[in-house]
Coordinates of all heavy atoms in Angstrom, one line a residue:
D21 N -6.2 5.3 -6.1 CA -7.6 5.3 -6.4 C -8.1 3.9 -6.9 O -9.0 3.9 -7.8 CB -8.1 6.4 -7.2 CG -7.7 7.8 -6.6 OD1 -7.7 7.9 -5.4 OD2 -7.5 8.7 -7.4
T22 N -7.5 2.9 -6.4 CA -7.9 1.5 -6.9 C -9.3 1.3 -6.3 O -9.8 1.9 -5.4 CB -7.0 0.5 -6.4 OG1 -7.0 0.4 -5.0 CG2 -5.6 0.7 -6.9
Q23 N -10.0 0.2 -6.8 CA -11.3 -0.1 -6.3 C -11.3 -0.4 -4.8 O -12.2 0.1 -4.1 CB -11.7 -1.4 -7.1 CG -13.1 -1.3 -7.7 CD -13.4 -2.6 -8.5 OE1 -12.6 -3.5 -8.7 NE2 -14.6 -2.7 -8.9
V24 N -10.3 -1.1 -4.4 CA -10.3 -1.4 -2.9 C -10.1 -0.2 -2.1 O -10.7 0.0 -1.1 CB -9.1 -2.5 -2.7 CG1 -9.0 -2.7 -1.2 CG2 -9.4 -3.7 -3.4
E25 N -9.2 0.7 -2.6 CA -8.9 1.9 -1.9 C -10.1 2.8 -1.8 O -10.4 3.4 -0.7 CB -7.7 2.6 -2.6 CG -7.0 3.7 -1.9 CD -6.0 4.3 -2.7 OE1 -5.1 3.6 -3.3 OE2 -6.0 5.6 -2.8
V26 N -10.8 3.0 -2.9 CA -12.0 3.8 -2.9 C -13.1 3.2 -2.0 O -13.7 4.0 -1.2 CB -12.5 4.0 -4.3 CG1 -13.9 4.7 -4.3 CG2 -11.5 4.8 -5.1
A27 N -13.3 1.9 -2.0 CA -14.2 1.3 -1.2 C -13.9 1.5 0.3 O -14.8 1.7 1.1 CB -14.3 -0.2 -1.5
L28 N -12.6 1.4 0.6 CA -12.2 1.6 2.0 C -12.4 3.0 2.5 O -12.9 3.3 3.5 CB -10.7 1.2 2.2 CG -10.1 1.4 3.6 CD1 -10.9 0.6 4.6 CD2 -8.6 1.1 3.6
R29 N -12.1 3.9 1.6 CA -12.3 5.4 1.9 C -13.8 5.6 2.1 O -14.2 6.3 3.1 CB -11.8 6.3 0.8 CG -10.3 6.3 0.8 CD -9.7 7.4 -0.1 NE -10.3 7.7 -1.3 CZ -9.7 7.7 -2.5 NH1 -8.4 7.4 -2.6 NH2 -10.3 8.1 -3.6
K30 N -14.7 5.0 1.3 CA -16.1 5.2 1.5 C -16.6 4.7 2.8 O -17.4 5.3 3.5 CB -16.9 4.6 0.3 CG -16.8 5.3 -1.0 CD -17.6 4.7 -2.1 CE -17.5 5.5 -3.3 NZ -18.3 4.8 -4.4
A31 N -16.1 3.5 3.2 CA -16.5 2.9 4.4 C -16.0 3.7 5.6 O -16.8 3.9 6.6 CB -15.9 1.5 4.5
L32 N -14.8 4.3 5.5 CA -14.3 5.1 6.6 C -15.1 6.4 6.7 O -15.4 6.9 7.8 CB -12.8 5.4 6.4 CG -11.9 4.2 6.5 CD1 -10.5 4.5 6.0 CD2 -11.9 3.6 7.9
H33 N -15.4 7.0 5.6 CA -16.2 8.2 5.6 C -17.6 8.0 6.2 O -18.1 8.8 7.0 CB -16.3 8.8 4.2 CG -16.8 10.2 4.1 ND1 -18.1 10.5 4.0 CD2 -16.2 11.3 4.1 CE1 -18.3 11.8 4.0 NE2 -17.1 12.3 4.1
A34 N -18.2 6.8 5.8 CA -19.5 6.5 6.3 C -19.5 6.3 7.8 O -20.5 6.5 8.5 CB -20.0 5.2 5.6
A35 N -18.3 5.9 8.3 CA -18.2 5.7 9.8 C -17.9 7.0 10.5 O -17.6 7.0 11.7 CB -17.0 4.7 10.1
G36 N -17.8 8.1 9.8 CA -17.6 9.4 10.4 C -16.2 9.8 10.5 O -15.9 10.9 11.1

Side-chain angles (χ1 to χ4, degrees):
D21 300 329
T22 63
Q23 232 178 349
V24 175
E25 195 180 309
V26 171
L28 179 60
R29 291 194 318 236
K30 285 181 179 181
L32 294 170
H33 193 271

